[in-house]
């Protein structure tokens, strides 16, 4: 394979962005030999620790994107890893829009753009002849969007249900073992699983954003996280979970969407009691899984049996390779 | 997308081949609009009901392949669906070799070629500039090989374990409920799940062929089904399964492979007792699943929650689209 040179701008450079940069380095030999891809980070932009492009300071993410756009590399890719804003998905969506407008491909691990504006961003990317990829938005690097796009041609997704938030799944598992909600949450925070502000997780917002992303991309919906009927988990959920266990059943925070016969879509996130033999019931701790209802393959599932920062960073890498494959000149 | 014309020769035209032909027809509009692909079956070859090419009788599969090779379509694809021969994987492997030698792409749902000769067939296909695809060899149309090839770049598979044979899983489930081996098997035969000669399934040969296929393709092994340490299921397994259930555990016929520190590979098929929370333990009836151990994504799993003839036929369709995508002029 002739070498394809990719220049990257990292918008957001926290844990995920830094792990991605190291992963690119660790995988440089196999990227070159396996996919003919050679990557170089030419700009980084952070909210609190400054921005730089071509080795010089710059004003903000948008200047970093402009700098990338002036590169003459074979591929120009904006890698967006800022944190989720659950009100409107900004400024991540603005970063994606700016990248597309500048003729750059976009890869993001942020759920915001795809949960709030998939439809318009996808259309803009198609019109500009660039790719907009977001594998990391759901289940880290375990393929969900790429699974459907690359390996399930002609298959129509008619619904889904999944356990897609690791923090609440951890907390539920701990509460089943007798811990109080507060203790379980504190343990997750001490272990670095839960954020300092865990409300996005425990109120179900993170799962709702993933539900919107999945419904928008896989089922052609045009919803936002605010359209998802949402119930989070509380101390009371723990009590229900312990009670369910005495009957051999489990409570999981299930994200789901389904199309009614009239074509309307209902999407929800809620604690749901499941029989022990349900695939989702068996997912402990950081395990996640997504069951897809389809026309040609009936029900299939993809599962992430444990999670880590490397897996989130890998999502960006897999999207990058996917872009390189489809834009090889 | 400019239309890509594909001519196909169906080698083997039993249940799977016929369902595939109907599926092509049912999906023709979405193949054209989604993938720019227009397919035509120009030859069929069967063992007992004759062969035909271009509307005229021909001698055998090899003549049907030769006829296809003379087509001036954009893609020439041999679709191999003969039944598994567990001794040597023939004549399926010979069909694949002949197709490659004639410059045709090959899609097969037969485990034989990839379980017995993946290495040489893959090399021959690469040298000839054609594709050799076999998604249907394991878990029907649920992506396993395409999953790794298309969506997991840079990921190294270091081992796997799975429940990959529906007949034995059905029989085990029935035996757990109290049925004898003979009764459970007879039920599977009456339901059309098990073959008239069920020995390939119950002796573990079908799972062993899938194990060899997975090890060869995903882990670079060069083994045949005869190199897989193999234990099938018997009346005695049912007794063990009922006994395990009293302790909340399940017995499943598990196919696995692992690389030792010295690089040697051990592959086995055996009834294995699993804790209830194991993903594989929860698979009832025709459900299958494969857990992959990987370097970058730790453990991930793909599950087929029910099986059908359509799913096997879909495997061929998905391979066909994958070939069209990679060979678009």
């Amino acid at each position: 394979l002739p070498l394809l040179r990719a220049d990257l701008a990292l918008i957001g450079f926290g844990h995920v962005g830094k792990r991605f940069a190291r992963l690119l380095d660790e995988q440089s030999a196999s990227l070159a030999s396996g996919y003919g891809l050679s990557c170089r980070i030419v700009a980084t932009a952070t909210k609190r620790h400054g921005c730089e492009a071509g080795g010089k300071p710059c004003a903000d993410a948008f200047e970093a994107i402009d700098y990338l756009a002036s590169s003459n590399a074979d591929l120009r890719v904006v890698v967006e890893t800022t944190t989720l804003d659950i009100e409107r998905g900004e400024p991540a969506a603005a970063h994606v829009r700016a990248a597309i407008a500048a003729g750059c491909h976009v890869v993001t691990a942020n759920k915001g753009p795809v949960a709030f504006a998939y439809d318009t961003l996808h259309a803009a990317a198609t019109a500009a002849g660039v790719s907009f990829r977001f594998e990391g938005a759901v289940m880290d690097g375990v393929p969900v969007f790429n699974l459907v796009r690359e390996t399930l041609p002609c298959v129509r997704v008619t619904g889904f249900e999944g356990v897609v938030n690791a923090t609440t799944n951890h907390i539920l598992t701990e509460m089943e073992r007798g811990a109080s909600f507060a203790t379980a949450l504190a343990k997750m925070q001490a272990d670095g699983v839960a954020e300092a502000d865990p409300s996005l997780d425990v109120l179900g917002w993170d799962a709702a954003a993933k539900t919107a992303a999945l419904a928008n991309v896989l089922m052609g919906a045009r919803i936002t996280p605010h359209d998802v009927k949402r119930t989070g988990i509380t101390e009371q959920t723990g009590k229900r979970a312990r009670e369910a266990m005495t009957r051999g059943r489990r409570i999981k925070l299930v994200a789901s969407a389904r199309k009614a016969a009239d074509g309307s879509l209902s999407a929800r996130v809620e604690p749901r009691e499941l029989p022990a033999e349900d695939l989702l019931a068996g997912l402990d701790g950081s395990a996640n899984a997504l069951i897809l209802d389809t026309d040609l393959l009936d029900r299939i599932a993809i599962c992430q049996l444990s999670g880590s920062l490397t897996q989130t960073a890998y999502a960006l890498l897999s999207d990058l390779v996917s872009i390189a494959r489809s834009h090889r000149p």
Side-chain angles (χ1 to χ4, degrees), chain A residues 28-215:
Chain A
S28 61
S30 74
L31 285 169
S33 65
Y35 310 96
L37 188 60
S38 164
C39 301
R40 201 174 56 151
I41 295 168
V42 300
T44 56
T46 71
K47 198 159 65 176
R48 291 196 206 91
H49 303 284
C51 304
E52 106 176 19
K56 291 176 193 160
C58 69
D60 58 17
F62 300 97
E63 274 198 29
I65 292 169
D66 284 345
Y67 177 82
L68 176 70
S70 70
S71 149
N72 64 0
D74 302 308
L75 294 175
R76 289 164 294 282
V77 186
V78 168
V79 180
E80 222 282 350
T81 61
T82 64
T83 52
L84 174 64
D85 155 58
I86 199 61
E87 287 309 314
R88 300 182 304 124
E90 295 294 358
H95 296 154
V96 174
R97 271 190 295 274
I100 292 169
C104 300
H105 303 290
V106 190
V107 166
T108 182
N110 188 315
K111 294 163 276 287
V114 64
F116 281 90
Y118 171 66
D119 197 42
T120 55
L121 294 174
H122 176 68
T126 304
V130 298
S131 289
F132 166 42
R133 296 288 168 95
F134 37 76
E135 188 57 70
V138 180
M139 282 173 61
D140 298 330
V142 173
V144 171
F145 301 109
N146 289 335
L147 176 79
V148 174
R149 183 196 300 110
E150 307 296 338
T151 74
L152 299 177
C154 299
V155 167
R156 208 165 58 88
V157 175
T158 55
F160 62 82
E161 55 191 334
V163 168
V164 294
N165 179 272
T167 299
T168 48
N169 203 43
H170 261 299
I171 292 175
L172 277 169
T173 307
E174 290 292 326
M175 291 199 296
E176 284 179 340
R177 292 173 185 154
S180 70
F181 180 82
T183 308
L185 175 57
K187 182 173 189 304
M188 293 311 111
Q189 288 171 321
D191 292 354
V193 173
E195 306 287 330
D197 173 7
S199 59
L200 281 188
D201 290 324
V202 300
L203 297 179
W205 278 116
D206 175 81
K210 289 167 175 166
T211 304
L214 291 165

Side-chain angles (χ1 to χ4, degrees), chain A residues 159-162 278-280 289-293 299-302:
Chain A
F160 62 82
E161 55 191 334
D278 191 294
L279 176 70
L280 300 181
L290 181 69
I291 302 173
L292 300 176
D293 284 299
R299 278 160 80 77
I300 70 174
I302 180 111

